[in-house]
């Protein structure tokens, strides 16, 4: 039977520092992704149609803004180390009186390389991603605190997104 060229689910999320001309060889795993919250989506470019008096239809189509590729996921891991990896800031070690602390003194732009591995071993890479990590700290018995992670693909020498099929057995 031939290998199906479809893909399902999420096995692993990895991030690493961006390298200027290559993919990182080691990625740090992000854990505790909320079920059904992860996706990679592309958006269409924004265009403007120019029409003229003498003809019906479109005379010329102008692209006014590029489309984008975006990865989003909800993470339950709100540890100080995970927040620092995704938002910048500093982590202070725990003491006898105070637990480990994350602190943000200024807002920084965070970029990371992203590796996604699906349950059927497809790999999706964003070699240079702009990271936005937003904390939602639910204060109820029925919901957990989350980090909403959004990584938008940016220009890179290898391309803004790479998709690798699994090797056939």
């Amino acid at each position: 039977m031939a290998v199906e060229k479809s893909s399902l689910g999420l096995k692993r999320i990895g991030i690493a520092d961006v390298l200027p001309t290559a993919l990182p060889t080691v990625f740090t795993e992000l854990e505790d992704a909320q079920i059904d919250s992860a996706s990679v989506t592309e958006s269409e470019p924004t265009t403007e149609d120019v029409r003229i008096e003498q003809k019906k239809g479109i005379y010329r189509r102008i692209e006014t803004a590029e489309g984008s590729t975006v990865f989003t996921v909800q993470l339950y891991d709100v540890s100080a180390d995970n927040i620092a990896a995704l938002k910048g800031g500093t982590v202070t070690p725990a003491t006898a009186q105070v637990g480990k602390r994350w602190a943000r003194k200024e807002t920084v732009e965070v970029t990371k390389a992203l590796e996604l591995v699906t349950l059927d071993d497809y790999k999706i890479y964003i070699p240079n991603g702009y990271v936005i990590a937003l904390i939602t700290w639910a204060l109820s018995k029925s919901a957990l605190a989350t980090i909403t992670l959004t990584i938008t693909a940016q220009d890179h020498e290898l391309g803004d997104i790479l998709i690798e099929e699994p090797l056939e057995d």
Side-chain angles (χ1 to χ4, degrees), residues 42-48 61-69:
E42 289 185 310
S43 63
E44 292 183 49
T46 303
T47 59
E48 184 177 324
R61 179 166 282 148
I62 300 169
E63 186 175 300
T64 56
E66 293 181 355
S68 60
T69 302

Side-chain angles (χ1 to χ4, degrees), residues 94-164:
T95 66
Q97 294 80 28
V98 177
K100 188 183 285 190
R101 286 186 176 168
W102 170 78
R104 173 180 55 213
K105 295 184 180 164
E106 62 185 43
T107 302
V108 296
E109 287 192 5
V110 177
T111 58
K112 294 289 182 184
L114 175 71
E115 177 192 52
L116 304 171
V117 181
T118 68
L119 294 175
D120 42 15
D121 293 323
Y122 270 83
K123 292 182 181 174
I124 301 169
Y125 294 100
I126 294 178
N128 179 19
Y130 181 78
V131 177
I132 296 176
L134 302 174
I135 299 169
T136 302
W137 208 285
L139 299 174
S140 69
K141 289 182 179 182
S142 62
L144 296 175
T146 60
I147 298 174
T148 301
L149 177 63
T150 304
I151 299 179
T152 303
Q154 301 182 115
D155 289 342
H156 190 271
E157 186 171 305
L158 298 175
D160 63 342
I161 185 169
L162 307 165
I163 299 174
E164 180 182 315

